[in-house]
Amino acid sequence: MDKMSYGKSYLTTDPLVKYVTEHSIRHTDVQKRLMEETQKHRSVGMMGAPEVLQLNANLIQAIGAKKVLDVGVFTGASALAAALVLPADGQVHALDVSKEYTDIGKSFWRDAGVSDKIEVHIAPAADTLQKFIDEGQAGTFDFAFIDADKGSYDLYYEQCLLLLRRGGIISFDNTLWSGSVIDESNQTPDTVAIRNLNKKLKDDHRINISFLSIADGLTLCFVK
Ligand SMILES: C[S@@+](CC[C@H](N)C(=O)[O-])C[C@H]1O[C@@H](n2cnc3c(N)ncnc32)[C@H](O)[C@@H]1O
């Protein structure tokens, strides 16, 4: 077999991807309901893949994270997955420009009993991250999931590198960008931004790296 299929599990019918998710995804009832609700949304394809959100949650638990950045919230699936595994004094800072999207998640966060663990910041994410830096919160965050506008990924990376502690993890979604990263005829700004970031991360020795070909590509940066 020389062809491998990638893509978010809820968007593909690939039998092997289906097999993997059937044998690994552990959703709570509220997570299932939030996914079903989001699947009715016109922008459903923006929702984080369950296999990615579960990996993030496992990493958050493994490193004993308490402070999490969720950069790009949409209907709140990634914030919910993170909040569910945080201790009682843990906090997800959920950053998005859209109150309309984030409001969809709020009743699900409440039903899951994690509302107190999710603080929403409605503003361009770069402004909120800069505010955290200016407030002296550098080095105090444990985990960041970056899943907002692709053109700003590099800026978010530099800001999150400041905000995370050593041993923290930055998780970048969509780093395969539907495969367009290897199609040099594709020069859209988002594709170029992700391609440039991928090149930069490969040789950036401030981090250790794992580039995973799951869902739409997930790059994990382990801060040194
Ligand atoms: C791919 S979705 C996030 C999906 C979410 N992480 C999940 O797991 O379902 C991207 C989100 O980024 C938000 N966004 C776009 N540009 C932004 C910006 N400059 N600052 C903050 N959020 C932004 C959009 O409103 C959208 O909700």
Side-chain angles (χ1 to χ4, degrees):
M1 183 162 52
D2 62 358
K3 185 175 183 303
M4 287 187 73
S5 168
Y6 304 119
K8 296 183 178 186
S9 58
Y10 64 83
L11 292 176
T12 176
T13 53
D14 184 279
L16 208 48
V17 173
K18 196 162 176 277
Y19 178 86
V20 169
T21 51
E22 276 174 2
H23 289 81
S24 60
I25 299 303
R26 298 176 182 175
H27 266 158
T28 64
D29 286 345
V30 180
Q31 284 178 296
K32 274 187 210 143
R33 283 201 289 111
L34 174 54
M35 244 192 107
E36 284 161 12
E37 184 62 30
T38 305
Q39 273 167 333
K40 297 179 203 155
H41 198 281
R42 62 185 182 283
S43 302
V44 53
M46 292 210 295
M47 180 172 60
E51 57 274 28
V52 163
L53 306 189
Q54 186 166 307
L55 174 57
N56 284 345
N58 286 335
L59 291 168
I60 286 167
Q61 267 191 311
I63 65 170
K66 285 193 174 180
K67 277 180 82 176
V68 171
L69 290 162
D70 189 58
V71 182
V73 181
F74 188 37
T75 61
S78 50
L80 175 60
L84 282 169
V85 296
L86 283 180
D89 60 346
Q91 196 74 32
V92 179
H93 291 271
L95 283 48
D96 207 292
V97 280
S98 172
K99 184 171 179 324
E100 181 201 332
Y101 289 161
T102 51
D103 278 352
I104 296 170
K106 284 185 178 164
S107 64
F108 295 92
W109 299 341
R110 200 164 38 243
D111 289 352
V114 297
S115 291
D116 291 351
K117 288 196 240 170
I118 303 175
E119 188 176 338
V120 176
H121 304 260
I122 300 294
D127 294 353
T128 304
L129 294 171
Q130 191 56 49
K131 180 170 79 82
F132 292 157
I133 294 165
D134 295 343
E135 287 170 355
Q137 296 197 57
T140 68
F141 287 84
D142 304 292
F143 189 92
F145 182 46
I146 299 184
D147 190 19
D149 51 315
K150 310 308 164 194
S152 300
Y153 265 31
D154 188 29
L155 174 59
Y156 299 150
Y157 174 61
E158 292 298 335
Q159 292 177 309
C160 287
L161 269 183
L162 284 174
L163 287 166
L164 263 63
R165 63 164 167 92
R166 279 190 183 171
I169 301 172
I170 302 172
S171 170
F172 281 106
D173 204 14
N174 308 111
T175 47
L176 289 175
W177 206 225
S178 303
S180 61
V181 286
I182 58 166
D183 174 8
E184 287 297 333
S185 71
N186 186 328
Q187 295 292 330
T188 64
D190 285 350
T191 301
V192 171
I194 291 182
R195 202 180 279 139
N196 287 343
L197 178 78
N198 289 341
K199 271 188 207 139
K200 170 174 166 171
L201 295 180
K202 162 74 169 56
D203 293 315
D204 189 334
H205 293 283
R206 295 174 293 177
I207 55 145
N208 289 321
I209 181 171
S210 288
F211 192 161
L212 309 181
S213 51
I214 66 164
D216 191 26
L218 187 77
T219 302
L220 299 174
C221 304
F222 302 84
V223 181
K224 290 191 197 171

